[in-house]
């Protein structure tokens, strides 16, 4: 298996990407190979820092351009045909690699994936999923940022994609799917979720458990949390910052009290870096998006997630699931 | 000044309400009087537990009915004319009291307030505000649950109401108003916030600082955070639960490590109960909504917030502010 990794994406590229890739490969002795996509000279310079790097499982695929965070995605992917993102997605489309990972511009990764890989039949718009920590483990929330102003039937598609992800990637049988809402009663919510509720109830092969309130997420009420990209994105970013606020407050207090406590260990389960990127679901290929501020550990974990997605044949399963039209869907 | 308190609203009514009222009055030696609205016999029985209660500043106004949490608000306020909520709002409408506080059904309090008090001119729908903790102090988020599917011009009204609240109640001059969004750039967001952004920019007497992302809220980027009631409600409930999750994790660890640390003190600033209820803004009168699970401290603080709202003439200020039509408003 070959996984393409955009080496130029993160805020500290290519150092973080190279370190993450080397770490991932040293971790595993299977057939996974990583293809670093980006400026050959800079990647080689970074690789030189790791004399023990398994070079037989590391390749470099040159790409001369980089799409910057501030660039308008649509324009950037059209103009920078030799950017690490466009080249990486093209490698995936051509079947030369089995997955693509990038910590670069989310918009550009999504745009290139959508244009080049296209969505699987039955998916209008590909959602981004995020595994958020709960008391019970993990819950896949989707969409967390790609699609604002979703239609009810698109939320049903998110539910189906998320359900397959939870089965294949989180190992959950018959995953509980919840609809993010302001109350648990079916008559609660805005127009879109009200209609989505009805559609989800009628969707076959889906364990829809009803509405889930904001306070029930971390309690682990569901395995898959469906929301439009606006709410999902606000929520995810808020989560990260609240965890940061609280641990910051605590760190100060512990220092003042002279108490030794390994906060990093305690809160490891809340650590975004430990989670390994956010999958872009519903496109014809395994694509993982990482934070621009990702540390090497996040890249390493994202490689693990990508490899597992390929091994479990996640995209195939999603294609099969979506091929059964959702009853009540307003799609032709 | 007389403040009506629904004595039958909370999950542990009337015990919590009576204890909160007594505490609030013992705290202050001004002219504030509390009118406990509800079952006279049960209220008197609770009052008997407090021999030091300042009875000269405590009144009871009998109401024979109670609106339960599960009841449909519209039906309940029509049928239960002698419920503590309907009676309390009527006292406010009649000018017999200066404010009304309830920990009962939010929908019923809002419905009764809307029908009986009506909104101030220029306000379509009254938002509920919540003061959420940030590293810098407090930020008023609104709407947190009353109004889903908001129109852009309604978000502008929320911004204006929130701005007056921040001035009068948080003591912030020229408060910074932010629009909750998925990115900071003006071209980000769903249709409603995109249009609201333009309207907010053109609104006079408003310090609009632009979009605020989920991660920037707790950093204290703005004093007033504008969102529709769907997103605001999800966010607020999520906040409460995340804080609970993290402190719970920590408590276990501290116990295991045998470390003594007063977590309640450290996280007091995150404590919802310490904040004192959520104001219903934009109606002709001071109305404060408390959690059903409020402890006596929350009721006590809500009485303080209600008294301050009256003293600062908040409703008058809001009426004056809204009387200037927002430029670009789609309202007639």
């Amino acid at each position: 298996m070959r996984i393409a990794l955009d080496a130029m994406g993160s805020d500290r590229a290519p150092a973080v990407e190279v370190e993450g890739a080397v770490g991932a490969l040293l971790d595993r002795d299977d057939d996974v190979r990583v293809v670093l996509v980006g400026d050959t000279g800079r990647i080689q310079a970074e690789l030189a820092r790791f004399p023990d790097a398994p070079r037989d499982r590391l390749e470099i695929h040159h790409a001369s351009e980089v799409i910057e965070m501030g660039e308008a995605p649509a324009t950037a992917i059209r103009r920078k045909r030799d950017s690490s993102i466009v080249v990486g997605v093209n490698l995936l489309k051509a079947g030369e690699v089995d997955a693509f990972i990038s910590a670069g511009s989310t918009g550009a990764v999504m745009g290139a994936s959508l244009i080049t890989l296209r969505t699987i039949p039955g998916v209008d718009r590909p959602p981004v999923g995020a595994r958020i920590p709960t008391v019970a483990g993990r819950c896949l929330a989707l969409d967390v940022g790609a699609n604002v102003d979703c239609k009810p039937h698109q939320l049903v598609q998110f539910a189906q994609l998320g359900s397959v992800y939870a089965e294949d990637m989180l190992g959950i049988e018959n995953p509980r799917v919840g609809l993010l809402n302001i109350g648990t009663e079916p008559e609660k919510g805005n127009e879109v979720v009200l209609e989505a509720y009805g559609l989800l109830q009628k969707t076959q092969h889906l364990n829809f458990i009803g509405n889930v309130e904001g306070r029930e997420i971390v309690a682990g009420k569901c395995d898959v949390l469906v929301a439009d990209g606006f709410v999902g994105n606000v929520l995810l970013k808020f989560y990260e910052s609240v965890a940061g606020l609280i641990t910051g407050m605590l760190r100060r207090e512990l220092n003042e009290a002279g108490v030794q406590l390994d906060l990093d260990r305690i809160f490891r389960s809340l650590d975004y870096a430990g989670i390994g990127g956010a999958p872009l679901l519903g496109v014809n290929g395994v694509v993982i998006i990482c934070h621009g501020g990702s540390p090497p550990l996040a890249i390493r974990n994202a490689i693990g997630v990508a490899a597992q997605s390929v091994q479990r044949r996640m995209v195939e399963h999603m294609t099969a699931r979506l091929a059964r039209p959702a009853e009540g869907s307003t799609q032709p």
Side-chain angles (χ1 to χ4, degrees), chain A:
Chain A
M1 183 194 315
R2 296 171 83 216
I3 296 171
L5 170 64
D6 173 6
M8 316 307 286
S10 80
D11 301 345
R12 290 178 294 139
V16 162
E17 282 83 351
V18 169
E19 186 178 336
V22 169
L25 292 176
L26 289 177
D27 257 3
R28 48 199 313 148
D29 56 0
D30 53 12
D31 71 335
V32 169
R33 302 169 64 87
V34 172
V35 181
L36 293 158
V37 182
D39 185 280
T40 304
R42 292 183 60 195
I43 294 170
Q44 277 174 334
E46 285 298 330
L47 266 176
R49 295 194 298 132
F50 302 94
D52 61 341
R55 294 298 301 258
D56 56 321
R57 290 183 283 150
L58 265 172
E59 300 169 35
I60 299 174
H61 190 105
H62 185 68
S64 62
E65 293 174 300
V66 176
I67 294 177
E68 306 294 341
M69 284 296 183
E71 291 185 75
T75 317
I77 57 180
R78 210 169 46 238
R79 296 217 183 130
K80 294 188 169 173
R81 302 301 306 164
D82 201 38
S83 61
S84 52
I85 288 174
V86 172
V87 170
V89 171
N90 284 341
L91 287 174
L92 182 53
K93 170 72 180 177
E96 291 186 41
V97 298
D98 303 285
F100 177 60
I101 300 166
S102 176
S105 158
T106 300
V109 175
M110 286 182 48
S113 301
L114 196 53
I115 292 170
T116 307
L117 304 173
R118 298 184 185 275
T119 56
I120 62 183
V123 174
D124 293 13
R125 295 153 78 176
V128 175
R131 286 175 292 181
I132 59 178
T134 70
V135 290
R138 295 250 176 262
C139 162
L140 183 81
L142 76 177
D143 175 42
V144 297
N147 308 288
V148 297
D149 292 316
C150 292
K151 301 268 189 300
H153 76 270
Q154 291 169 336
L155 295 183
V156 175
Q157 294 169 0
F158 296 174
Q160 292 173 302
L161 294 170
S163 195
V164 174
Y165 186 93
E167 286 166 19
D168 282 356
M169 298 297 294
L170 306 178
I172 300 168
E173 240 179 284
N174 203 23
R176 298 161 302 162
V177 177
L179 179 64
L180 185 59
N181 206 336
I182 59 169
T184 49
E185 307 87 343
E187 69 274 11
K188 287 273 182 172
N190 57 26
E191 282 175 31
V192 172
V193 301
L194 278 172
E195 193 179 330
Y197 189 99
L199 295 179
L200 285 164
Q201 273 193 313
K202 288 185 283 182
T203 303
Q204 291 183 317
H205 310 287
L206 192 76
N207 181 14
F208 178 54
I209 61 158
N211 291 328
V212 169
E213 284 193 90
R215 68 165 67 92
E216 298 172 321
I217 303 168
V218 296
K221 190 178 174 186
C222 62
D223 305 305
V224 177
L225 181 71
V226 175
D228 77 40
F230 189 90
V231 183
N233 182 276
V234 163
L235 202 71
L236 182 70
K237 289 180 179 162
F238 190 60
Y239 197 165
E240 293 170 35
S241 68
V242 172
L245 167 72
I246 294 177
T247 51
M249 287 171 70
L250 202 65
R251 216 176 285 276
R252 272 198 307 279
E253 287 286 336
L254 289 173
N255 283 343
E256 279 175 29
V259 174
Q260 295 290 329
L261 205 61
D262 185 354
L263 286 182
D264 291 336
R265 182 187 56 76
I266 298 174
F267 292 126
R268 192 161 297 152
S269 68
L270 298 179
D271 181 15
Y272 199 82
I275 300 178
L280 178 68
L281 300 175
V283 291
N284 282 305
V286 172
V287 178
I288 310 278
I289 297 169
C290 295
H291 253 271
S294 286
L297 177 63
I299 301 294
R300 190 161 156 170
N301 289 337
I303 292 171
V305 169
Q308 193 187 336
S309 302
V310 175
Q311 279 154 357
R312 301 282 165 89
R313 310 165 82 102
M314 185 185 75
V315 175
E316 240 175 81
H317 295 158
M318 288 181 178
T319 307
R321 183 72 54 92
L322 269 291
R324 309 179 187 130
E327 281 181 47
S329 166
T330 57
Q331 277 304 94

